[in-house]
Amino acid sequence: MKLTKEDILNINAYLKKKDIKFVDVRFELIDHLVSEYESLDNCPDLDSFLRKRITWCKQVSEAKAKTMHWRYQKDVWKRVLVFMKSPYFYLITFVVAFVYFQLYTILSLELFEKAVLFPFFSVIVFQFIFFFYNHYRYRLKIKLLSANYLFNIFSLPHLLLYMFTPFKEFFLEYPQLFIGYIGFALLLNIAALVEVTSKQKKIKKEYKFLNDVLA
Amino acid sequence: MGNSKLYKGSLNTIILKLLEEKGKMYGYEITQKVKELTKGELKITEGALYPALHKLEAEGLLDVEVAKVDNRLRKYYKLTEAGEKETVNRLAELEEFIRSMQNLVNPKWSIE
């Protein structure tokens, strides 16, 4: 039995009610459910058909969220590798190291420490503003799983950037290692920022496409 | 079906092989094709199929294409270039595995 547009909208509403809230997950499930229902010889009542399938629909939704999270984490590392393959990365690292070495020889230790921490705090402030402005705007506006999990990309980079206090004593003893740590944390955060920006464009495009087609 | 656990580890390879043959397929079509090819012996559950498809997509082995069919959207999966290479590798691995199992279970029988 062929399902009408109204039936499909009812399936959509049912899945939404059952907490499968993201369009990019729902549309694939809807297609499967409709295809299966239409292929049945003795079509049961649509409600009971859906009730029997909601468990696996939720499983699929949850599994997709996990996959998305780990895929994003992996993408950050891939971006770091892309940076490292670029000759500019080595050029920039060399220039920064050279500048800091010069500052180290010219400035007093107190001033040098401030010079090291300046880019560190600049990135923190910039990311803080970027994160809150975009995070909530995206989550509220775009009901896609890919958008909802987008800012999870920052989990590890933020952890490194903000959580170095447990190693405070160690870093005070070996300040050179602290510079290396900051450098790595900054690199990871920049990679995450680039990754989020590039994904945002794709997500906007996908959302527009889905909205246009589903309208 | 006798023992679905025996098939479980081969789900990704089955998906890749089907996509290699058919070019592009959607979820429900995959479940039906597997059922048809195995004469109902193997039923891939949706709860296993979609997570596997999403993982393969995340690994960059599958690409997706969305098309409007009737009053709904349909997501087609197809192999990427990396997916094509991976399919060849996984099929070779599976063949090797079957050969080893044959040698263990029934040394006189051969798949060649």
Side-chain angles (χ1 to χ4, degrees):
Chain A
M1 190 183 89
K2 203 103 179 133
L3 288 174
T4 62
K5 191 170 184 177
E6 202 187 336
D7 291 326
I8 294 170
L9 289 173
N10 284 338
I11 298 175
N12 186 37
Y14 179 78
L15 293 178
K16 227 172 168 177
K17 201 176 119 193
K18 291 291 172 187
D19 217 23
I20 301 175
K21 46 189 175 185
F22 301 113
V23 188
D24 48 348
V25 181
R26 263 195 333 261
F27 84 81
E28 189 173 28
L29 295 175
I30 290 172
D31 180 47
H32 187 104
L33 293 167
V34 174
S35 302
E36 191 186 346
Y37 188 86
E38 287 181 346
S39 72
L40 295 173
D41 295 326
N42 301 315
C43 292
D45 160 49
L46 188 59
D47 283 343
S48 62
F49 171 83
L50 291 174
R51 266 199 303 274
K52 280 180 188 165
R53 277 144 188 92
I54 194 63
T55 313
W56 72 254
C57 286
K58 282 186 176 176
Q59 275 174 5
V60 169
S61 172
E62 282 161 18
K64 187 167 182 174
K66 265 187 200 165
T67 307
M68 188 73 77
H69 172 79
W70 290 112
R71 177 190 175 174
Y72 282 169
Q73 300 302 315
K74 221 170 154 186
D75 286 347
V76 177
W77 291 102
K78 277 188 191 165
R79 182 67 68 174
V80 171
L81 279 179
V82 169
F83 283 166
M84 287 182 163
K85 279 180 188 167
S86 161
Y88 292 112
F89 170 76
Y90 296 98
L91 184 72
I92 292 167
T93 310
F94 176 77
V95 170
V96 171
F98 181 76
V99 169
Y100 274 99
F101 182 72
Q102 293 303 314
L103 289 174
Y104 180 69
T105 52
I106 298 164
L107 300 174
S108 65
L109 191 63
E110 200 184 325
L111 267 175
F112 178 70
E113 277 173 4
K114 281 178 187 164
V116 169
L117 289 174
F118 178 72
F120 181 69
F121 287 115
S122 308
V123 170
I124 288 181
V125 171
F126 176 73
Q127 282 208 350
F128 192 76
I129 297 165
F130 179 87
F131 185 79
F132 280 99
Y133 176 67
N134 279 297
H135 185 46
Y136 290 105
R137 198 174 59 136
Y138 253 69
R139 277 186 72 154
L140 290 174
K141 202 176 153 195
I142 299 182
K143 292 282 178 203
L144 293 183
L145 184 74
S146 49
N148 200 64
Y149 278 77
L150 185 65
F151 286 85
N152 284 18
I153 285 182
F154 284 113
S155 347
L156 180 67
H158 276 181
L159 192 74
L160 281 177
L161 203 60
Y162 301 131
M163 299 290 288
F164 60 87
T165 38
F167 313 108
K168 194 181 158 192
E169 295 303 316
F170 176 78
F171 285 138
L172 281 172
E173 205 173 326
Y174 303 101
Q176 305 90 331
L177 288 180
F178 183 57
I179 293 169
Y181 176 88
I182 287 181
F184 181 67
L186 286 179
L187 177 69
L188 214 59
N189 275 273
I190 292 165
L193 205 63
V194 173
E195 205 52 45
V196 165
T197 316
S198 94
K199 283 193 189 326
Q200 269 180 335
K201 285 177 196 163
K202 281 183 200 165
I203 289 170
K204 270 184 195 167
K205 218 173 146 188
E206 189 191 353
Y207 190 64
K208 192 181 176 308
F209 169 77
L210 289 175
N211 264 350
D212 289 349
V213 176
L214 292 171
Chain B
M1 202 207 83
N3 191 349
S4 63
K5 281 181 188 167
L6 290 175
Y7 284 104
K8 217 176 172 183
S10 311
L11 179 59
N12 287 353
T13 315
I14 294 169
I15 293 170
L16 292 172
K17 172 69 181 162
L18 284 175
L19 292 173
E20 187 195 42
E21 280 176 5
K22 295 271 288 179
K24 63 175 187 179
M25 292 176 96
Y26 56 95
Y28 182 71
E29 191 184 8
I30 294 173
T31 59
Q32 295 311 295
K33 192 72 190 165
V34 171
K35 210 167 142 188
E36 181 197 317
L37 289 173
T38 60
K39 297 183 180 75
E41 275 286 295
L42 174 61
K43 277 183 194 166
I44 297 183
T45 61
E46 296 82 359
L49 174 74
Y50 286 103
L53 284 169
H54 298 151
K55 264 188 192 161
L56 289 169
E57 186 195 341
E59 283 168 19
L61 302 177
L62 301 185
D63 206 1
V64 293
E65 203 180 287
V66 180
K68 196 170 183 183
V69 176
D70 295 332
N71 289 317
R72 59 191 189 269
L73 286 174
R74 179 163 286 167
K75 194 173 178 182
Y76 286 99
Y77 292 90
K78 55 185 181 182
L79 291 177
T80 60
E81 215 173 289
E84 282 169 15
K85 284 179 195 160
E86 189 63 21
T87 308
V88 176
N89 292 339
R90 291 206 189 178
L91 285 173
E93 264 176 31
L94 188 63
E95 233 169 71
E96 190 54 45
F97 173 74
I98 295 169
R99 199 169 287 126
S100 306
M101 289 308 287
Q102 281 298 344
N103 287 337
L104 280 171
V105 176
N106 187 1
K108 286 174 192 166
W109 195 88
S110 164
I111 59 165
E112 281 165 18

